[in-house]
Every structure is written in structure tokens, then in C-alpha cells.
Amino acid sequence: MKRIDRSQIKKLMAEEEKVFVRDHPRSRKLFERAKKSLLAGVPMNWMVRWAGPYPIFANEGRGAYVTDVDGHRYLDLCLGDTGSMFGHSPRPVVDSVTKQVRKGITMMLPTEDSVWVGEELAKRFGLPYWQIAMTATDANRFSIRLARHVTKRSKILVVNGCYHGTVDETLVNLEGGRVVPRSGNIGPPVDPAETTKVIEFNDVEALEKSLEPKDVACALMEPAMTNRGIILPDPDYHDALREITRKYGTLLIIDETHTICCGIGGYTAAHGLEPDIITMGKPLASGVPIAAFGISQYVADRVMERILSDGTDESGLGGTLTGNALAVAAMRATLKQVITKKNFDKMLPLAKRFEKGVQNVIDRTGIPWHVVRLGVRIEYHNTPKPPRNGGEYEASKDYELERLMHLMALNRGILLTPFHNMALISPYTTAKDVDLHTKVFGESVSKLLG
Ligand SMILES: Cc1ncc(COP(=O)(O)O)c(C=O)c1O
């Protein structure tokens, strides 16, 4: 098995940073200016997490490509970390948004588009009632509130290494069997052990033990983990998850925000899951901020009266801009013409080609890594075998190596999502694009091995 020499990583990083700085003078100038008015020089702190000494500043995103202010064109495999996974500014969405902008942006009134959207979501995901939210974080927050309301229990259950947005109760880690705030979490409101139980993904025994006291309102989970690499469920995991949550009266919330990469009805439709609540966001309106959550008849029967009563206070299930006409119009166009079976039929063979390309490089070079695919989402990782849970993933993560791989890709015209080695195939991505990635990945691995 081949080993990577750490001094080689440092040497290559210094070389690649030199190239980056040479090639991005305009981004550098903007970043220096931005640091005087924006915290850390960016409008949102994740934007400093890209590889390189400073972020590239975007000029335009179109289809599967992004251009920056220095005139470089990139193959975008990050796609806004899923917000644009069906391509930047798809034509039908541009047309629909342009039309709606002239007809009113937000009126706090429902439009016909919202009815179409509700019907479509019910058809695709199998849950009868839907609500709109602004972000997937919000959809998760509101779903947890509903679960607490229905069950009259306060605690929630998540898996170690989960990410469901900046929902306070979920920003937790499992350390030596204890629930602790996630390292680097800014301003946790209370000790998360008060609100949250944490287990490892794929651990059925721990699941049963956690739910047995009947104090958990909901289990909030991605059907396959996508934020600690891609971690697939064991073959019988979902059956056990559903059976045990039902047994102890805990509602099951499935977060499909990323796993929509499995098909038009997400992992839920592809694998026949039966959650009580489904949450999602990001690409639903091609990046125009919108999210949605669907609930079962059982949940609806128990919350309807409260939602309609005069006594509901303002802390309800949304805010002033939620369900606005513009975002709902963008969502209708996206569901109707962008997140379609036809597009998935185009994307899937390319995702398989991508996976095969990476696997061939691993086999040819002997580097002890693996590659996993979930629908049109693919991820490689620096262990020979896939981790089974968040704890295993975190223990094996090599930040320095990952950053170098990303910078080598960026300097050769490819953007990978900053947090892990994830690639998304969009309807605009071509076989030539996929082969470019295989080539760049192969060259980078060969350089690493010296
Ligand atoms: C699975 C999952 N759920 C929810 C979210 C939150 O999405 P947003 O940041 O758009 O609120 C994310 C973000 O990465 C996510 O990965």
C-alpha cells in the first residue's frame, strides 16, 4: 500500500499557493478591500474556507461553470454545496423569476403556484401536507417544534457528525459517550446534553437504548450521511430505525436536503421510506432561498387546530418572507422543468463515469483511498474502506491533505466543495468535464505519491 510523505504535502502546498496568488490578483485586491468592511473579508464565514490564501471572487455562474473576476473559468463540482446542483441559473427559472418579479415579490398571500408546489411535493415524497420555509435550517427547526408539540417531549436524537443547518440542538458531538457542543460552535445557548441525545449512525443498539426512556420527540437524520463524506446506511438500518422510532413514539424526521441527489423524490421515494416528516431546501428553487417540510396525516391532525387558532403566537412556523410569491414561482419552475426524471437520466451515467474514473486512479496508483457514490453525488476519502459513522470519519479526516487536493484542482480549473471531497453532477455537466476531473485527480495523486 502506498504511503504519502507529509513533507511532500507541505512542499506541494507552497508551490500551489504561489500559483494561486500569481493567477488571482483581482480577487486578492477585492479581498484586501473587503476585509475593511466585512467580517473576515466575506459576507458569510464559510467563504473563507475555500482552498487558497484567499477566496476567488465570482463573476458569473452559468450551467456547470463559474467564472471569476480574474477571468478564469471553472468546472463547478461544488455547485453552491447543493444550492445549484441542477445548474446555475437554469433558463426556465430565470424566465419564471423575471416574470414574477414584475407581478409582486412578497404579499403574504398564497399564490396559485403554492398550490401546484404542495401537490407536486405530496406526489413525489408521499407525505400529504406541506409547508414552505426559507432555508433547510428553518425547515428542520420548525419540524422539531412540531415534533415537540405532538409528542409533548423535549429531547431530540441525532447522529454523531450530522449537519442539519445551524439548528442549535444539532450542533453537537459525541465524545467518549458524552454529548458535548460541536468544537468551534459559536455561542451554544445551553449545554446540548439537555436538549439532545447523540448516537453513531448505523448503531441500532444505541438507537434502541436512547429511545427506551420515551423522552425523545424526534429522531432527525439524513437517510445517508452526506456531510462527513458519504456514509451509506447498512442494508437493514432503515427498517430498524422506523420500527424502533414507532415502538417508542418518537417521530422520524428525514432530512432530504442533500439526498435529493438520489432522484426526484429523494432517498425516501427511491427506497420506500416512511418518515413522519420530511425536510429539504437548497436546490428546490435553483438557489432562490426556499425550503419545504412535509408532514404525515397523524402529525397534521395534531397540529392543525393550533396553527389555525387565534391563540397561536408569532413564533409559529415561518417569518414574513416565508412562502413569498417570487420564491414559490422559482420553485414551481425548478420542480417542473429542472429537477426532472429526464435530467436525472442524463446525470446518473455521468456520475457513474466520475466514480469509475476516480476508482481507476486509486487502482492504478495504489493510493489507499476509496470512492463512494450516492445518486449523482460522489465523494473520495483518504481511507481504504468507507467509514460506517461520523466518529470513524472524523478520526480519519486529513484537513491538510484535503486542502491541498482542492487547491491543486482549483489551480487546474475545477471547484470542489470546501468542506470535503464532494462532487455533484448537474444536468449541464458533460463527459468531457468528468474526464477532465479524472485527469486532474490522477495527476494530483501522482504528485502526492512523489
Ligand atoms: C443535510 C442538510 N440539512 C440542512 C442543511 C441546512 O441548509 P441551509 O444552510 O440552506 O439552511 C444542510 C446544509 O448544508 C444540510 O447539509
Side-chain angles (χ1 to χ4, degrees):
M1 205 179 274
K2 293 277 175 63
R3 284 177 65 86
I4 296 165
D5 175 0
R6 301 307 300 185
S7 64
Q8 181 72 353
I9 296 179
K10 292 212 172 0
K11 182 176 146 268
L12 287 174
M13 184 65 100
E15 283 172 22
E16 294 295 329
E17 286 193 345
K18 243 192 222 165
V19 172
F20 179 92
V21 172
R22 182 197 68 199
D23 289 350
H24 298 91
R26 290 209 168 117
S27 281
R28 182 183 196 158
K29 236 177 154 178
L30 278 175
F31 188 58
E32 291 306 323
R33 189 178 135 205
K35 278 196 283 190
K36 296 182 186 134
S37 64
L38 299 172
L39 191 64
V42 282
M44 195 274 191
N45 67 337
W46 291 359
M47 295 181 192
V48 281
R49 302 275 298 274
W50 289 86
Y54 48 88
I56 57 165
F57 280 65
N59 179 40
E60 189 176 279
R62 201 174 276 204
Y65 313 97
V66 161
T67 54
D68 70 7
V69 291
D70 285 289
H72 305 291
R73 182 177 185 264
Y74 300 92
L75 164 64
D76 189 2
L77 297 173
C78 168
L79 294 163
D81 192 11
T82 308
S84 300
M85 73 163 283
F86 296 93
H88 294 289
S89 298
R91 187 83 231 178
V93 181
V94 171
D95 290 347
S96 154
V97 164
T98 309
K99 204 165 136 207
Q100 187 63 44
V101 132
R102 297 201 179 94
K103 288 173 59 189
I105 296 168
T106 189
M107 297 163 266
M108 218 176 76
L109 285 169
T111 55
E112 193 259 333
D113 285 337
S114 62
V115 186
W116 189 95
V117 157
E119 289 165 352
E120 183 65 19
L121 290 172
K123 231 187 288 165
R124 288 186 184 205
F125 291 91
L127 286 177
Y129 298 107
W130 289 81
Q131 284 283 277
I132 298 297
M134 291 296 285
T135 64
T137 302
D138 274 351
N140 283 324
R141 230 194 306 266
F142 301 147
S143 298
I144 292 170
R145 291 175 78 116
L146 290 185
R148 285 182 170 142
H149 178 75
V150 168
T151 61
K152 311 287 182 263
R153 300 174 182 177
S154 64
K155 287 196 193 293
I156 75 161
L157 176 89
V158 294
V159 296
N160 191 29
C162 71
Y163 186 69
H164 298 285
T166 51
V167 179
D168 287 318
E169 293 95 325
T170 65
L171 298 172
V172 289
N173 272 348
L174 189 61
E175 270 175 28
R178 285 193 325 119
V179 178
V180 296
R182 182 161 301 178
S183 55
N185 182 16
I186 299 169
V190 292
D191 174 359
E194 280 181 31
T195 59
T196 311
K197 295 189 185 186
V198 186
I199 55 170
E200 291 289 4
F201 192 59
N202 279 325
D203 187 343
V204 174
E205 212 179 297
L207 173 72
E208 177 118 32
K209 220 166 132 202
S210 301
L211 300 191
E212 228 166 13
K214 296 193 174 175
D215 57 353
V216 177
C218 58
L220 170 61
M221 281 189 206
E222 285 190 281
M225 291 182 75
T226 66
N227 284 300
R228 294 292 177 270
I230 294 173
I231 303 178
L232 300 176
D234 289 346
D236 50 0
Y237 185 63
H238 277 289
D239 288 343
L241 177 63
R242 187 60 281 196
E243 192 189 315
I244 294 168
T245 45
R246 277 200 181 117
K247 182 168 161 194
Y248 296 109
T250 295
L251 296 183
L252 177 59
I253 306 176
I254 290 290
D255 182 342
E256 287 276 12
T257 304
H258 279 183
T259 44
I260 185 81
C261 63
C262 294
I264 63 164
Y267 191 101
T268 293
H271 295 266
L273 305 190
E274 294 176 3
D276 300 291
I277 302 179
I278 295 177
T279 60
M280 64 187 89
K282 294 199 187 185
L284 286 181
S286 301
V288 177
I290 204 162
F293 53 108
I295 60 177
S296 66
Q297 187 69 52
Y298 175 86
V299 175
D301 289 344
R302 278 150 192 81
V303 298
M304 198 66 97
E305 194 186 331
R306 177 56 71 95
I307 284 177
L308 295 178
S309 84
D310 285 343
T312 311
D313 81 354
E314 287 88 342
S315 64
L317 301 174
T320 332
L321 298 178
T322 309
N324 71 75
L326 181 70
V328 173
M331 186 169 168
R332 180 178 185 165
T334 302
L335 289 177
K336 197 167 177 187
Q337 286 170 271
V338 182
I339 307 182
T340 59
K341 179 160 182 321
K342 193 167 158 218
N343 273 340
F344 268 102
D345 288 346
K346 208 159 108 192
M347 291 144 72
L348 261 172
L350 290 176
K352 288 179 184 164
R353 185 183 182 112
F354 191 105
E355 180 189 22
K356 198 165 163 218
V358 172
Q359 187 63 57
N360 285 344
V361 170
I362 293 172
D363 294 343
R364 190 183 76 232
T365 59
I367 196 158
W369 293 2
H370 73 271
V371 59
V372 186
R373 182 178 62 79
L374 180 67
V376 297
R377 178 182 297 267
I378 314 109
E379 175 118 15
Y380 65 85
H381 184 59
N382 57 287
T383 53
K385 276 201 190 143
R388 276 190 70 233
N389 56 49
E392 281 184 25
Y393 176 86
E394 210 45 50
S396 64
K397 191 164 166 88
D398 187 335
Y399 286 93
E400 197 186 20
L401 177 59
E402 181 180 293
R403 220 171 151 76
L404 173 63
M405 288 300 287
H406 288 208
L407 189 55
M408 288 202 274
L410 188 148
N411 281 342
R412 288 153 187 80
I414 297 175
L415 297 181
L416 290 163
T417 206
F419 313 111
H420 37 110
N421 304 311
M422 186 269 289
L424 289 166
I425 302 297
S426 81
Y428 300 90
T429 313
T430 65
K432 205 167 144 211
D433 293 333
V434 169
D435 295 347
L436 170 70
H437 175 269
T438 306
K439 180 169 165 278
V440 167
F441 178 72
E443 286 168 5
S444 302
V445 167
S446 299
K447 275 191 163 209
L448 262 180
L449 294 174

